[in-house]
Amino acid sequence: MSEHLWSGRFSGAPDADIFGFQSSFTFDRRLFEDDVKGSLAWADALATAGVLTDDEFQAVSAALQDILDTGRRDPAFVSGPDEDVHAFVERQLVDRVGEAGKRLHTGRSRNDQVSLDLRLYVRRKARVVQRQLLDLISALADQAASADTTLMPAYTHLRRAQPILIAHFFLAHTEALRRDHARFGHVRDEADAMPLGSSAIAGSSYSIDTDALAARLGFSRVVANSLDATADRDFIAGFLHACALTMVHLSRIAEDVIVFSSEEFGFFELADAVTTGSSLMPQKKNPDPLELVRGKSGRAIGRLTGWLVTMKGLPSGYNKDLQEDKEALFDVEDTLLTSTAAVTTVVRTLVVLGAHAESAASGLLLATEVADYLVLRGMAFRDAHALVGGMVRELLASGRDFESLSMAEWRTFSALFEDDVAVRITARAAVDARRTPQSTNPVAVAEALSRVTAWLEAVKAENHDG
Ligand code: ARG
């Protein structure tokens, strides 16, 4: 292609390899829809400013609409030898309406144009991610509901710590994901500033009604400074961060489910549909999708880190380095959406092996209950802790646990133990004894579940309205 958006100043054509190297059309074609919508709004602003006559405005708008419709119908249409998506749309426009199409770039630069496209794109995609998060949160809440009051051990240092409700475990993960949902809302807010009128760097010299443009494009405000706005990609960093942190949360769900569905734990059974076998070992049922999610979290974190490094050394104003934002953005978006979908399917199809999980929730992990029992009868917690530690040592040596002790044996450890130890020192009594609202007490867990369910309904209703 001999003619580029900027060819006038040059006597020779660019080196073909160099042109290919710096072109972005193969990936920024994803911004097609946002680019055309931005141009439709810009045409309107130019008509109001008197740069386009009414006839020109009508012709340009109709052509842009046709370009948009064609691209939506046939994604393969959005391709060609163009340098980037902006050049592609402009070429299509000029092919259709000639002279009037050449006027569309008046007062605009690809620097504020690409910023607009990205802001529109990030705002759209943050919503898509939020919708997917709701699906996963619902799946976890459904598992919490069907687990009812079944128990499992909770772990610290991956050692049995205290009994909890399995529902408490599922709801724990919903909390992290609800924070992610909110974080994508903040990302949307950050991207919610309309950059057109910044032009290349110093602002536009045409009388562009930026407020009207912002309103038309669904932004609540206009950027404050053209020099900042043309090189600001903080909202991309924000999106990448939100994605990376969500991937961290998905990775931790994956890790928990991998561990708890292993032969050693056996609390969960993964559906056949979400596992793969071994080419050699016939007994294997591997949690590959979960392992991939855990692995891909590294990619998302790497993209965020890479993008921060790209930004950090840039002088003010647009620099071509900024083009690197796109592959990071698109890759992380794809990674997160496919990973969230995979984890949602795994969670939805997960079978809880309640009896097994519950049987693992008793034994020496009731030690804290024994100490609390003594505290209730007046012993200082530190003394109780030491006494029970000694009991644990003896029980371990004889391969026994608290529940097997006779009353006489209890009383060899302390005269404070009375007949009620038999009913107080059980996993069920342990969860019932928890009192704080964030605890695993079954009443607290039921309330937590209804809060999550109510939140899901409220957010879904809000999305339908907005
Ligand atoms: N493809 C470019 C990017 O993604 C568009 C902006 C080009 N601006 C420029 N001055 N070369 O950043």
Side-chain angles (χ1 to χ4, degrees):
M1 190 164 125
S2 58
E3 203 63 6
H4 302 297
L5 294 176
W6 33 260
S7 292
R9 186 240 177 273
F10 296 85
S11 48
D15 177 273
D17 289 341
I18 292 290
F19 184 76
F21 177 65
Q22 61 96 41
S23 294
S24 51
F25 194 27
T26 49
F27 48 87
D28 71 11
R29 55 193 300 282
R30 282 214 205 188
L31 300 173
F32 168 74
E33 174 153 355
D34 305 288
D35 197 70
V36 181
K37 283 186 188 155
S39 288
L40 278 162
W42 185 246
D44 202 353
L46 287 180
T48 311
V51 176
L52 291 181
T53 66
D54 202 40
D55 283 352
E56 287 172 326
F57 168 60
Q58 299 300 341
V60 166
S61 298
L64 285 171
Q65 193 57 54
D66 177 51
I67 293 167
L68 184 57
D69 294 342
T70 311
R72 276 178 174 165
R73 255 197 324 274
D74 173 22
F77 163 72
V78 188
S79 62
D82 310 87
E83 181 182 351
D84 54 28
V85 68
H86 324 293
F88 167 78
V89 173
E90 188 165 323
R91 175 168 66 82
Q92 291 292 334
L93 180 66
V94 173
D95 281 355
R96 284 169 173 70
V97 296
E99 188 68 18
K102 294 187 191 168
R103 290 189 200 284
L104 181 67
H105 211 53
T106 314
R108 184 177 70 167
S109 155
R110 279 182 299 165
N111 298 352
D112 55 353
Q113 189 176 357
V114 73
S115 163
L116 174 78
D117 294 3
L118 286 168
R119 284 171 180 275
L120 289 170
Y121 186 86
V122 162
R123 299 196 70 204
R124 279 198 295 131
K125 294 302 174 168
R127 272 253 195 272
V128 173
V129 172
Q130 282 182 319
R131 271 198 294 276
Q132 274 220 349
L133 288 176
L134 294 183
D135 283 348
L136 176 52
I137 294 168
S138 301
L140 289 162
D142 290 347
Q143 284 287 2
S146 56
D148 196 24
T149 57
T150 311
L151 302 174
M152 69 182 279
Y155 296 80
T156 63
H157 312 269
L158 205 56
R159 304 290 190 270
R160 282 187 193 171
Q162 292 185 310
I164 58 169
L165 263 55
I166 293 180
H168 201 55
F169 163 79
F170 284 116
L171 290 176
H173 286 297
T174 69
E175 290 305 321
L177 295 168
R178 287 169 69 190
R179 291 194 293 276
D180 294 329
H181 186 277
R183 200 168 292 108
F184 280 99
H186 304 323
V187 169
R188 273 179 61 79
D189 290 344
E190 181 165 18
D192 180 19
M194 202 287 297
L196 293 181
S198 301
S199 202
I201 188 163
S204 183
S205 54
Y206 298 86
S207 58
I208 300 299
D209 184 344
T210 50
D211 287 332
L213 257 178
R216 173 178 172 149
L217 288 165
F219 288 95
S220 71
R221 63 183 194 278
V222 176
V223 297
N225 179 303
S226 63
L227 172 59
D228 170 55
T230 44
D232 169 21
R233 298 290 186 276
D234 292 358
F235 61 97
I236 303 278
F239 184 85
L240 296 178
H241 173 252
C243 291
L245 195 47
T246 306
M247 285 299 298
V248 167
H249 295 146
L250 295 183
S251 179
R252 294 185 66 180
I253 295 175
E255 173 64 10
D256 274 349
V257 175
I258 290 168
V259 168
F260 292 153
S261 63
S262 68
E263 290 90 340
E264 280 70 16
F265 286 77
F267 305 160
F268 302 147
E269 172 81 32
L270 291 166
D272 284 0
V274 300
T275 50
T276 45
S278 159
S279 59
L280 182 88
M281 300 165 283
Q283 86 283 10
K284 291 300 287 293
K285 183 170 162 183
N286 294 329
D288 293 33
L290 295 173
E291 294 167 82
L292 261 182
V293 167
R294 192 176 57 190
K296 282 176 190 291
S297 62
R299 173 203 291 246
I301 294 164
R303 285 297 199 178
L304 167 64
T305 310
W307 178 240
L308 292 172
V309 175
T310 296
M311 286 206 301
K312 86 175 233 320
L314 298 183
S316 287
Y318 177 83
N319 296 274
K320 187 76 166 183
D321 314 46
L322 292 174
Q323 181 169 288
E324 285 288 301
D325 58 5
K326 285 164 209 65
E327 284 154 298
L329 173 65
F330 302 145
D331 183 36
V332 167
E333 173 204 338
D334 291 347
T335 301
L336 179 61
L337 291 176
T338 51
S339 299
T340 311
V343 173
T344 304
T345 304
V346 170
V347 171
R348 282 224 175 280
T349 55
L350 196 66
V351 174
V352 171
L353 305 175
H356 201 256
E358 196 153 309
S359 73
S362 59
L364 294 177
L365 86 175
L366 298 176
T368 313
E369 301 318 301
V370 181
D372 281 340
Y373 179 98
L374 293 170
V375 168
L376 217 64
R377 274 151 187 74
M379 191 179 285
F381 180 75
R382 205 36 72 208
D383 295 333
H385 188 286
L387 188 148
V388 178
M391 290 178 76
V392 168
R393 222 173 332 117
E394 285 194 26
L395 289 170
L396 276 175
S398 54
R400 298 176 61 190
D401 57 25
F402 295 110
E403 283 148 301
S404 70
L405 290 174
S406 70
M407 204 53 237
E409 286 173 313
W410 276 107
R411 294 181 69 87
T412 61
F413 292 105
S414 167
L416 293 176
F417 289 122
E418 288 172 30
D419 286 345
D420 62 346
V421 281
V423 289
R424 309 232 12 193
I425 306 305
T426 68
R428 185 63 58 193
V431 294
D432 287 342
R434 309 267 86 77
R435 292 190 178 201
T436 46
Q438 69 270 48
S439 75
T440 195
N441 177 290
V443 176
V445 172
E447 281 168 5
L449 175 58
S450 5
R451 273 198 302 277
V452 171
T453 312
W455 177 84
L456 279 167
E457 271 162 29
V459 175
K460 282 180 191 161
E462 204 176 286
N463 284 356
H464 280 304
D465 297 346

